[in-house]
């Protein structure tokens, strides 16, 4: 006959009859230690197992059959002790014993409160996607205008004159980019790309950033683009998923 018992919250065994008797004699198995052997319907304290632990009086197969399929006991996620499942509450994948239920509920309530206060920071790839969309929105029309204006000019050919047009375009593009970023972030907290990705730029405590901070953020972001975009890449490693410009302006990018 194989015996199982709970030692410091851990199921232990199997042990033989002789070993089990030795465990009882040495005090390792106490009257309130949960024990189980084949044929028993559930884990019971040793003191209650007196009759059924007698090998000459096996439990009727029917009682064991009623709990077959799922193990009738589980370890309490709170105290680590083993109890019959019908005496426990289930939460997600874990079981909690009756004794620990109040403590567990308290923890759960606190956890839920913390979760709602916590901002849901947006990670690297979704922010990358938002940037990409903004890039398309800004870049595509500009490219079209650029080619429509410059290509015919190149063919007309004025070799002795320095052509300022590309330079004007370059600055014009930066200016439009700046206006786009500052107006959308200042007014709505999100550029169209960020809106599409359901993102929002907020202050550290979740408030509106306003035009001032949006302006600061635009210029700080220029730094993030320097040195292999390292200022952007750190988003992937930061606890609050901050880019360099988020650090400088104390902003966060969150899911709405
Ligand atoms: Zn417990």
């Amino acid at each position: 006959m194989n015996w199982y018992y709970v030692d410091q919250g851990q199921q232990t065994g199997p042990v033989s009859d002789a070993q089990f008797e030795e465990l009882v004699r040495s005090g390792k198995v106490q009257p309130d230690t949960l024990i189980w052997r084949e044929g028993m319907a559930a884990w019971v304290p040793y003191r209650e197992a007196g009759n059924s632990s007698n090998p000459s009086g096996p439990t009727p197969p029917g009682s064991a059959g009623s709990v077959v399929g799922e193990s009738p006991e589980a370890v309490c996620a709170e105290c680590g002790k083993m109890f019959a499942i019908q005496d426990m509450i289930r939460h997600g994948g874990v079981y909690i014993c009756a004794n620990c239920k109040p403590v567990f509920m308290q923890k759960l309530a606190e956890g839920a409160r913390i979760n709602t206060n916590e901002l849901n920071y947006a990670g690297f790839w979704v922010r990358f996607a938002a940037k990409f969309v903004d890039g398309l929105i800004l870049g595509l029309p500009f490219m079209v205008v650029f080619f429509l204006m410059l290509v015919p000019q190149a063919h007309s050919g004025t070799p002795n004159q320095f052509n300022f047009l590309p330079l004007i375009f370059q600055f014009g593009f930066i200016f439009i980019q700046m206006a786009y970023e500052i107006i959308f972030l200042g007014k709505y907290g999100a550029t169209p790309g960020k809106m599409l990705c359901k993102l929002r730029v907020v202050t550290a405590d979740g408030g509106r950033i306003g035009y001032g901070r949006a302006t600061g953020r635009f210029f700080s972001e220029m730094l993030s683009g320097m040195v292999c975009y390292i200022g952007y890449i750190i988003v992937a490693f930061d606890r609050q998923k901050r880019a360099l410009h988020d650090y400088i302006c104390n902003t966060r990018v969150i899911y709405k």
Side-chain angles (χ1 to χ4, degrees):
M1 190 64 66
N2 286 329
W3 292 86
Y4 297 83
Y5 64 103
V6 175
D7 180 26
Q8 290 169 345
Q10 293 294 313
Q11 179 182 321
T12 313
V15 297
S16 69
D17 285 335
Q19 284 172 311
F20 188 74
E21 275 169 36
E22 180 53 39
L23 285 166
V24 174
R25 239 197 318 276
S26 67
K28 189 86 179 161
V29 171
Q30 296 281 332
D32 62 345
T33 300
L34 291 170
I35 60 136
W36 184 81
R37 67 162 169 76
E38 284 111 354
M40 280 171 64
W43 289 76
V44 290
Y46 174 62
R47 75 179 109 77
E48 288 172 24
N51 295 330
S52 57
S53 69
N54 181 1
S56 63
T59 6
S63 66
S66 63
V67 290
V68 161
E70 209 177 345
S71 61
E73 78 293 326
V75 174
C76 170
E78 203 50 49
C79 62
K81 288 179 185 149
M82 211 168 254
F83 297 90
I85 274 175
Q86 67 255 29
D87 298 330
M88 303 174 84
I89 60 155
R90 190 175 185 158
H91 182 82
V94 302
Y95 287 93
I96 305 297
C97 77
N99 295 338
C100 297
K101 191 179 162 186
V103 178
F104 182 75
M105 287 311 200
Q106 181 66 28
K107 279 188 183 178
L108 212 62
E110 282 169 3
R113 188 165 50 79
I114 289 161
N115 282 345
T116 50
N117 275 358
E118 191 89 351
L119 297 171
N120 192 4
Y121 302 114
F124 179 81
W125 287 110
V126 67
R127 291 178 61 172
F128 180 84
K131 262 274 164 271
F132 188 78
V133 173
D134 284 331
L136 287 182
I137 292 169
L138 277 172
L140 280 183
F142 218 79
M143 291 282 264
V144 172
V145 176
F146 187 81
F147 278 104
L148 286 179
M149 289 187 75
L150 283 194
V151 171
Q153 235 214 356
H155 285 291
S156 68
T158 44
N160 294 330
Q161 237 177 328
F162 181 75
N163 195 348
F164 281 101
L165 209 55
L167 207 64
I168 293 165
F169 257 85
Q170 188 68 51
F171 278 105
F173 185 67
I174 293 172
F175 182 79
I176 288 170
Q177 219 177 357
M178 184 175 85
Y180 176 93
E181 198 89 9
I182 293 170
I183 290 167
F184 277 114
L185 286 187
K187 193 166 170 62
Y188 305 108
T191 57
K194 285 189 166 73
M195 289 176 196
L196 201 77
C197 297
K198 307 226 182 304
L199 304 181
R200 180 168 294 212
V201 182
V202 294
T203 58
D205 52 7
R208 288 176 58 94
I209 65 166
Y211 290 103
R213 211 183 286 256
T215 308
R217 198 171 182 274
F218 173 79
F219 288 105
S220 311
E221 191 165 346
M222 289 178 164
L223 295 176
S224 293
M226 293 175 182
V227 198
C228 307
Y229 294 92
I230 189 76
Y232 289 105
I233 292 166
I234 58 169
V235 170
F237 305 99
D238 184 60
R239 194 172 49 83
Q240 299 186 342
K241 299 174 184 169
R242 283 166 289 187
L244 177 61
H245 44 284
D246 292 319
Y247 268 99
I248 294 170
C249 303
N250 198 22
T251 53
R252 307 288 185 276
V253 180
I254 59 163
Y255 287 102
K256 272 196 283 197

